[in-house]
Amino acid sequence: MYSDIVKNHFANPRNVKEIPGATAVAEADNPVCGDIMKIFVNVVDGVFCDVGVKTRGCPAAVAAGSVLSEMLIDLPVAEAVRIETRVVDRALGGLPRNKQHATDLAVDALRAVIHQFQSERLP
Amino acid sequence: MDPIIYLDHAATTPVDPAVRKAMDPWFAQDFGNPTTLYAHGVRADEAVEGARQTIAHAIGAQRPQEVYFTAGGTESINWALKGIALERVRGHILTSAIEHSAVRETCLWLAERGFELTILPVAHDGVVDPAEVRRALRSDTILVTLMHANNEIGTIEPIEEVGSVLTDSEAAFHVDAVQTVAHLPIDVQQLRCDLLSASGHKLYGPKGTGFLYARSGIRLGPLLHGGGQERELRSGTHNVPGIIGLAKALEVSTRLLETETQQLTALSRRLIDGILERIPGATLNGSTERRLPSNVHFTFENTQGEALVLGLDLAGICVSTGSACSTVSLEPSHVLKAIGLSDEQALASVRFTLGRSTTEEQIDAVLEVLPEEVNRLRAMSPRAL
C-alpha cells in the first residue's frame, strides 16, 4: 500500500521537534480524519534555516510532514510558497489515492506557517 | 517463534491443515458436479449432503435442509435480508447501530426501496437492550436483524433474550453469527432465530464459503437465480471443496471450542492487563463481561490507529483498526461512534483478535513493542497526553 519512501519517513521521521522561540509556528488539521500537523520554522535572511514538524495522523501524514521538513531546510521562503501537494506526493514516491489528504495537510501547514511568518513581518 | 505475530483473526483465519487435507481430493480427483447423475457426480453430492448434516448438527438445526451453502458471510446476510424483505414487498425492519456493513448497507438499500428502517442505539459497552427491541417492534415489522457478537469491539449481544421478545411477533429474526460460529456455542433453538449467517474463513475454513441457516417454513425468496441448486433457493454450482472444507473447519472448531475458549480468555486477559499496566491513556472498549474471548480493543489517546497498525506491522505484528473492511475509509468507525467515542478517540483505536496459534510469548512480545510504538507516536504528536 505504501511506498518504501513513505515507510522510511514514517519509521524515522525527520526533524520531529519543537523549536522554542521559532520565527513562526502554525498548525493545520484535517477535520475529516482528525490528523493534525504543527510546523515550527526559523527564518534567517528569507531562508528556512531550521524546521520542526509534529504530526498526529496516519503514516502518510507523518511521512508528508517529514519529507516536507527536508525540502524546506535551506529553501528561501519565496520558493517555498510554490510547493504544491503534487511536489510532496512525488517526493514520497506517490501516495495511495485515498491518502492524498496527507499532502493537503502538509501543504496547508506550510502555507499557514508562511502566512504567519509574513504577517509577523508586517509593521 | 513464528516470525509474524498474527492478531487479526476477526479479519480472517488461516485454513486448518485438517481442513486443507479434507478439501484436497475434491479439486481434481472427485471434481464431479453434484447435480449430475453419474457416480462421479453422485459422490460429490453425497459429500455435500454429509457436510450439510455436519453443519446442521453443529448449530442445532432440526433438519439438514435448513442449511444452505453460500459464498460467504456477506452473501448469506444479503440473501437473508433481501430474501425476507422482497417476499413481503413492504414493511418495517429493525436493526442496531453497530451492525457489520453487510447488514447495515443492505438495510439502507432496502430503506431506499421503501422499507421502513429503525436503527436501535446501543449502550456504552455495545449491548443492545432487548426492552428497546420490544418497544421498537411494530405490527408491520417483517424483519429483526442483529449480530451475535460485534466484529470490532467483541461485545456479545443478548440474542436469546431478543429471541424471546420476538416469540409472538410475525417478524423474521436474522442473526449475523459471522464472528461467533465456532467461537461460541451456537444452538439456533436456544437463540430462537429464524435465520443465521456464517462465514467459513472466520473459523479456519476456506475463503469464499459460508452458509445460511433458514428455519423450515420461513418465507424466503432466492437472491441468486439460475440452475435451481439448493432447492431452488441458491443457484450456482456447488463449491464442493469449499463446502467440504467449511464443514470440516466447523467440526474441528467445535471439538476444540472449550479448550480454545479457556486459552483465549487467559491470553486476552494477559494482553488487556499488560496494556493497562504499561500504557497510560489506554481505554478498553466494549464489555468486560459480554465479550468474545478472542477480542481486545483499545483506544490509545493521542495516537492514530492506522499509524499504530503500520508501526506494529513494521515490527511483524498484524493488528487492525476496527473493521477490516473499513481500512480504506477515512471516516471513524460507526460502531465506535455508536458506543459514544469521539471521532478523535475512534480514530485512535486498535483491535487485537487472538486465535488458535496465539501464544503467551507472542502476547509478551506485543507488550514489549506496543508501549514503545505508542510512546513514539505520542512524542511526534503536537498534543500532550
Side-chain angles (χ1 to χ4, degrees):
Chain A
M1 181 178 170
Y2 287 123
S3 70
D4 288 343
I5 303 174
V6 173
K7 285 186 194 166
N8 181 298
H9 277 277
F10 170 71
N12 311 289
R14 326 304 193 242
N15 305 305
V16 177
K17 61 183 177 186
E18 294 182 8
I19 303 175
T23 317
V25 182
E27 190 176 288
D29 64 5
N30 179 328
V32 181
C33 64
D35 291 357
I36 43 177
M37 188 183 293
K38 194 170 185 178
I39 299 192
F40 305 75
V41 292
N42 269 339
V43 181
V44 174
D45 297 333
V47 174
F48 290 114
C49 61
D50 197 9
V51 178
V53 181
K54 295 200 96 176
T55 308
R56 186 182 76 203
C58 66
V62 171
S66 169
V67 87
L68 176 69
S69 73
E70 280 190 328
M71 283 180 193
L72 291 181
I73 290 172
D74 295 334
L75 191 73
V77 178
E79 283 180 38
V81 295
R82 288 201 292 269
I83 293 179
E84 291 175 7
T85 51
R86 61 190 167 84
V87 178
V88 182
D89 186 71
R90 207 178 308 132
L92 288 172
L95 284 174
R97 197 179 302 163
N98 67 335
K99 288 293 173 190
Q100 299 298 333
H101 66 280
T103 49
D104 292 343
L105 179 71
V107 171
D108 284 352
L110 170 64
R111 299 223 163 117
V113 84
I114 291 174
H115 179 78
Q116 178 71 24
F117 165 68
Q118 288 171 338
S119 34
E120 299 261 315
R121 289 203 312 169
L122 291 175
Chain B
M1 196 171 75
D2 196 325
I4 281 183
I5 299 179
Y6 183 78
L7 295 182
D8 201 16
H9 291 83
T12 194
T13 54
V15 173
D16 186 278
V19 170
R20 232 174 129 175
K21 196 169 162 222
M23 290 171 72
D24 192 51
W26 302 96
F27 284 102
Q29 195 182 318
D30 291 316
F31 62 87
N33 187 324
T35 57
T36 53
L37 296 175
Y38 40 82
H40 195 53
V42 170
R43 256 203 310 281
D45 183 53
E46 284 169 357
V48 167
E49 294 314 313
R52 203 186 303 280
Q53 277 182 15
T54 304
I55 292 169
H57 178 72
I59 63 166
Q62 279 180 336
R63 307 191 313 147
Q65 289 72 27
E66 294 176 321
V67 173
Y68 297 86
F69 293 112
T70 68
T74 296
E75 186 199 324
S76 298
I77 290 166
N78 268 265
W79 178 17
L81 273 47
K82 291 174 186 168
I84 289 292
L86 299 178
E87 279 290 297
R88 283 149 186 80
V89 186
R90 69 190 62 201
H92 172 237
I93 298 170
L94 202 53
T95 189
S96 91
I98 58 162
E99 298 301 309
H100 186 273
S101 48
V103 167
R104 187 181 172 82
E105 293 301 321
T106 306
C107 284
L108 292 171
W109 185 86
L110 288 166
E112 279 171 19
R113 278 151 188 82
F115 292 89
E116 287 185 66
L117 181 64
T118 301
I119 301 177
L120 292 173
V122 295
H124 190 62
D125 56 5
V127 178
V128 175
D129 182 357
E132 290 273 345
V133 176
R134 186 190 295 280
R135 271 195 287 278
L137 207 57
R138 301 183 347 195
S139 56
D140 65 339
T141 305
I142 55 163
L143 173 68
V144 176
T145 176
L146 293 176
M147 64 201 329
H148 193 189
N150 184 267
N151 52 307
E152 292 188 43
I153 54 173
T155 300
I156 301 169
E157 299 298 342
I159 295 298
E160 288 180 44
E161 288 86 333
V162 174
S164 304
V165 164
L166 298 175
T167 315
D168 298 325
S169 164
E170 289 294 306
F173 184 25
H174 169 254
V175 174
D176 163 10
V178 166
Q179 291 294 335
T180 56
V181 169
H183 302 292
L184 292 178
I186 300 280
D187 183 331
V188 289
Q189 313 306 335
Q190 258 180 22
L191 294 176
R192 297 173 185 242
C193 60
D194 300 305
L195 300 138
L196 180 135
S197 293
S199 165
H201 76 103
K202 308 286 193 190
L203 47 100
Y204 304 90
K207 291 172 181 62
T209 65
F211 69 85
L212 176 67
Y213 158 80
R215 190 179 293 281
S216 297
I218 190 98
R219 197 149 55 92
L220 179 77
L223 180 68
L224 302 182
H225 299 84
Q229 287 88 346
E230 296 290 277
R231 296 176 303 292
E232 305 285 338
L233 282 174
R234 200 281 186 182
S235 290
T237 299
H238 291 94
N239 170 8
V240 180
I243 289 167
I244 303 302
L246 170 65
K248 187 70 184 176
L250 189 51
E251 188 190 307
V252 172
S253 300
T254 306
R255 182 157 38 80
L256 297 176
L257 183 61
E258 214 179 302
T259 28
E260 210 162 274
T261 301
Q262 283 174 7
Q263 283 168 0
L264 290 172
T265 305
L267 289 170
S268 53
R269 191 72 256 169
R270 192 181 182 90
L271 182 56
I272 291 169
D273 290 345
I275 288 173
L276 291 172
E277 194 181 299
R278 293 168 198 218
I279 305 178
T283 314
L284 181 70
N285 297 311
S287 168
T288 39
E289 305 88 33
R290 306 184 59 90
R291 186 179 202 101
L292 284 176
S294 55
N295 178 290
V296 175
H297 191 285
F298 268 95
T299 298
F300 299 102
E301 229 174 281
N302 199 24
T303 67
Q304 204 270 0
E306 198 199 318
L308 272 175
V309 170
L310 185 64
L312 293 175
D313 182 35
L314 295 174
I317 300 166
C318 307
V319 300
S320 156
T321 53
S323 161
C325 310
S326 70
T327 48
V328 289
S329 149
L330 305 174
E331 302 281 334
S333 141
H334 68 278
V335 174
L336 301 181
K337 300 268 286 183
I339 62 168
L341 266 61
S342 67
D343 284 6
E344 195 174 313
Q345 290 168 324
L347 288 161
S349 301
V350 174
R351 178 187 73 181
F352 308 81
T353 44
L354 286 52
R356 197 166 284 168
S357 61
T358 309
T359 62
E360 255 182 36
E361 290 72 32
Q362 290 184 335
I363 297 298
D364 292 345
V366 172
L367 287 170
E368 288 299 313
V369 177
L370 180 65
E372 287 171 18
E373 191 55 24
V374 168
N375 286 339
R376 189 179 83 89
L377 294 183
R378 283 176 177 169
M380 269 189 237
S381 168
R383 298 280 185 272
L385 179 60

